[in-house]
Amino acid sequence: MTSPSSFIPGIIVAACLGVFARAEVVRVEITERSQFAEGKSFGPAGAYERIKGRMFLETDPLHEPNARISDLKLAPRNTRGKVESWTDFFLLKPLNASKGNGRLLYDVNNRGNMLALWTFNDAERSNDPKNVAHGGNGFLFRHGYSVLSCGWNGEVVDDHTQRLLTEVPIASERGETLTGPAHIEFSTTTPVFSRAFSWSPWGEFAAFPTVSLDDRKAVLTMRPSRAEPAVEVPRDAWQFGRWENEKLVPDPAHLYLKEGFRPGWLYDLVYTAKEPRVTGLGLAALRDCVSFFRHAPAERNPLAGAINTAYVVGISQSGRLIHHFIYDGYNTDEARRAVFDGALIHVAGAGKGGFNHRFRMLTDTGNSHEGQLSGSEFFPLAPAAQTDPVTGESGDTLARARASGHVPKMIFTQTSTEYWNRAASLLHTDVEGRQDIELPPEVRVYLVAGAQHLGAGDGSPGIGQQPGNTLNDRGPVLRAMLVALDEWVGNGIAPPPSRHPRIADGTLTDLPSWRFPRIPGVNLPSRYYQPWRLDFGPRFHTEGIADTIPPKIGAPFHTLIPAVDADGNETAGIRLPEVAVPLGTFTGWSLRAAAFGAEGALTPFTGMMIPFALTKAEREKSGDPRPAVRERYPTREAYLGRMTEAALHLKRERFLLDEDVTAILQQAADRKLWDTP
């Protein structure tokens, strides 16, 4: 056992000797080591401790495992010929590491925000978890996991929310920063006069500044949607600057518009940028951080000898990062060892991202209204060999992992939102949407029917037209999936077969064939996300450099959406008890309300819950074609009987755990729909 006193806060720990020298973690600074959750004991693993610090890394531009890092050879080097960077890390581990389950769960932070405890433990979300509330229901700790996260996104800046940071160098030539073409799309839901060069509801991000506040070659256009022609905004109607305290402040990474931004409109700025970060070093930092905790010797590593397996989990952007990490070959470390044995990728659609490209924002992604020039969906899209009949390209997102022998076991979980807004069908169909493809044995894909992007909301409509989706899917499904992944990797017990909509059985369809009930007051979508084939120039996928900005737009990939039943609930996938025994219609899509602009376009992340009428008389009065609650379930006992049957069925199939069956049935029993005449 390594005692807390063995690592004194502030100590610099050398980590560049022996077999670990290739991992390039040259030193570790531990800034805090303390008890977690007031010393609460979590079953067999006992009490946990928290360890915070910073890792300092050196990366060899000439070493073959680093060959895919774009612009690495243009980064400044130290006297040893290495490129320097650093990353913050946060580790939660059993106080006695030997009492853990031998598993390291790496939480890919989303824009610097740690999500694993919020996801699996239903805990209060925090980037500095320390108390009992941050431990939540204790799920990960009761199972003995050590939980690790580190910075990887060089865009994240210190905004005093304890987000995990990383610092990577700026690419340069002959001591001068590189410059080049860049594109930023702006869209708002409220009228404002200025916007930062970044998508920022989740915090502040460092964008690529303009080379000059007076760049006369920069062009700004506007349009209500991508389907409409662009209109150029006169150069004297906008500036590089921000509107602050009722005055304009010059700023090379903000856009100011004299008339203000029209909500919902798309504004495209093409300009000459400077100071490109070597963003691929963020992926290398992730790789090397995990390898350090798996393999570094005891005098430097608080987990030494305690870890035999590593899993990675990511949600949304973080899930796309995992897929890209494996696609780019980073699941092999510099000593030719596997980094991760298993991956749980949640709500990533079929996307990857600009995670290893020059002048690309890591926060950018496409959906049916916004971000369609981001390039977050690019071929290959599926974890299986494919050929694109339009371009003639062939590929497989797991090809590099296969070549190294380090393909992890992979579980993709999607909600309905990802089919409508994140091109999820392209994970398991050909790129023309004509046939299902056979997934490799190392991969499972599951749809959580009727769920929305980030789990249950509070029912408010947000920027949508209807009440929000309240289906609680994230915790229950992902807890079961993590158990299944661990059994798969650790014991060779395969998880349930993939459960997603399919072309062959008619559960995956296109919009003209999609049949949704005509519910009074509910408008229907006219489009969903069909990502284009984008041409950024010949060096984009080989060197990470975009020569064509904005990109040339080609034919779209043909995506498909889940079919629905007469109630509007999806027929394929994991149908949680609330969907299998419904009290309303759950969707992963919703339409924007007029007040927020782009009326009728899909909202990016949210769905709806449209309740059934309580009685037959109520539904007939409103004209709702869906049978009422009491027509379906005459008594509470009838409803609870069917809910119990549905929950136990999912438990037998390993899609729910005992604790979540109990919680779901307790919630069902608390419903008061039969208490009044």
Side-chain angles (χ1 to χ4, degrees), residues 322-456:
I322 297 171
H323 200 180
H324 197 122
F325 180 92
I326 296 167
Y327 160 75
D328 250 352
Y330 288 95
N331 201 44
T332 298
D333 72 9
E334 292 197 282
R336 314 288 181 173
R337 300 167 298 207
V339 180
F340 296 113
D341 306 289
L344 180 51
I345 299 174
H346 187 53
V347 296
K352 297 186 284 295
F355 301 122
N356 191 20
H357 295 78
R358 184 188 296 176
F359 290 129
R360 306 301 296 170
M361 293 296 291
L362 281 64
T363 53
D364 286 350
T365 184
N367 62 55
S368 65
H369 180 61
E370 301 161 306
Q372 294 178 14
L373 301 184
S374 69
S376 54
E377 286 74 32
F378 60 85
F379 189 88
L381 294 140
Q386 284 188 299
T387 298
D388 184 343
V390 173
T391 65
E393 286 184 274
S394 294
D396 172 357
T397 62
L398 301 185
R400 292 187 181 91
R402 294 190 196 288
S404 69
H406 296 148
V407 178
K409 300 291 191 293
M410 300 176 70
I411 293 178
F412 291 86
T413 51
Q414 312 281 7
T415 69
S416 172
T417 305
E418 283 67 62
Y419 283 82
W420 285 89
N421 251 338
R422 289 290 174 87
S425 65
L426 294 173
L427 274 180
H428 53 81
T429 74
D430 70 309
V431 295
E432 294 293 274
R434 292 175 179 166
Q435 61 184 16
D436 304 306
I437 62 172
E438 182 178 352
L439 292 170
E442 306 95 340
V443 175
R444 295 289 188 274
V445 176
Y446 304 107
L447 161 67
V448 186
Q452 69 179 6
H453 185 63
L454 289 179

Side-chain angles (χ1 to χ4, degrees), residues 457-500:
D458 61 6
S460 61
I463 66 170
Q465 299 176 3
Q466 299 290 338
N469 192 319
T470 56
L471 181 62
N472 181 23
D473 70 294
R474 187 186 63 251
V477 171
L478 291 186
R479 283 188 282 270
M481 290 296 97
L482 183 59
V483 169
L485 180 65
D486 188 46
E487 291 176 337
W488 196 9
V489 174
N491 302 317
I493 301 172
S498 291
R499 185 168 293 186
H500 56 74

Side-chain angles (χ1 to χ4, degrees), residues 89-92 104-107 146-150 289-290 293:
F89 72 88
F90 192 105
L91 174 66
L92 289 166
L104 178 65
L105 182 68
Y106 182 86
D107 173 14
S146 293
V147 183
L148 171 69
S149 191
C150 75
C289 178
V290 173
F293 283 108

Side-chain angles (χ1 to χ4, degrees), residues 52-73:
K52 298 174 66 174
R54 180 167 288 178
M55 283 186 170
F56 296 84
L57 305 105
E58 292 185 353
T59 304
D60 185 350
L62 304 180
H63 192 38
E64 191 276 332
N66 301 321
R68 290 283 299 171
I69 302 176
S70 297
D71 285 338
L72 181 61
K73 293 182 179 180

Side-chain angles (χ1 to χ4, degrees), residues 639-658:
Y639 171 68
L640 291 178
R642 289 182 57 183
M643 283 288 288
T644 301
E645 180 182 349
L648 293 177
H649 180 68
L650 288 177
K651 176 195 166 185
R652 289 191 294 270
E653 293 185 311
R654 300 165 60 205
F655 290 121
L656 284 178
L657 303 180
D658 282 342

Side-chain angles (χ1 to χ4, degrees), residues 135-258:
N137 61 31
F139 176 83
L140 291 175
F141 310 131
R142 287 185 278 115
H143 285 260
Y145 282 96
S146 293
V147 183
L148 171 69
S149 191
C150 75
W152 61 268
N153 185 341
E155 295 174 5
V156 178
V157 299
D158 184 2
D159 62 358
H160 309 294
T161 62
Q162 302 287 322
R163 294 191 297 169
L164 290 166
L165 307 178
T166 187
E167 183 175 281
V168 298
I170 302 297
S172 61
E173 286 185 305
R174 295 180 293 277
E176 298 289 331
T177 178
L178 295 177
T179 64
H183 164 256
I184 299 283
E185 178 190 285
F186 303 86
S187 188
T188 72
T189 56
T190 57
V192 295
F193 285 99
S194 65
R195 278 290 304 268
F197 282 13
S198 62
W199 182 88
S200 56
W202 291 87
E204 296 181 25
F205 302 96
F208 303 108
T210 177
V211 294
S212 170
L213 293 172
D214 193 38
D215 180 5
R216 290 290 154 178
K217 294 182 180 179
V219 175
L220 179 67
T221 61
M222 59 186 290
R223 64 182 85 197
S225 74
R226 284 285 159 209
E228 302 294 327
V231 176
E232 185 170 345
V233 181
R235 186 63 181 84
D236 61 1
W238 64 272
Q239 296 183 48
F240 292 104
R242 66 184 188 276
W243 188 249
E244 189 174 279
N245 298 324
E246 300 301 317
K247 65 180 181 179
L248 176 62
V249 179
D251 191 314
H254 279 70
L255 175 67
Y256 165 76
L257 197 58
K258 285 184 179 179

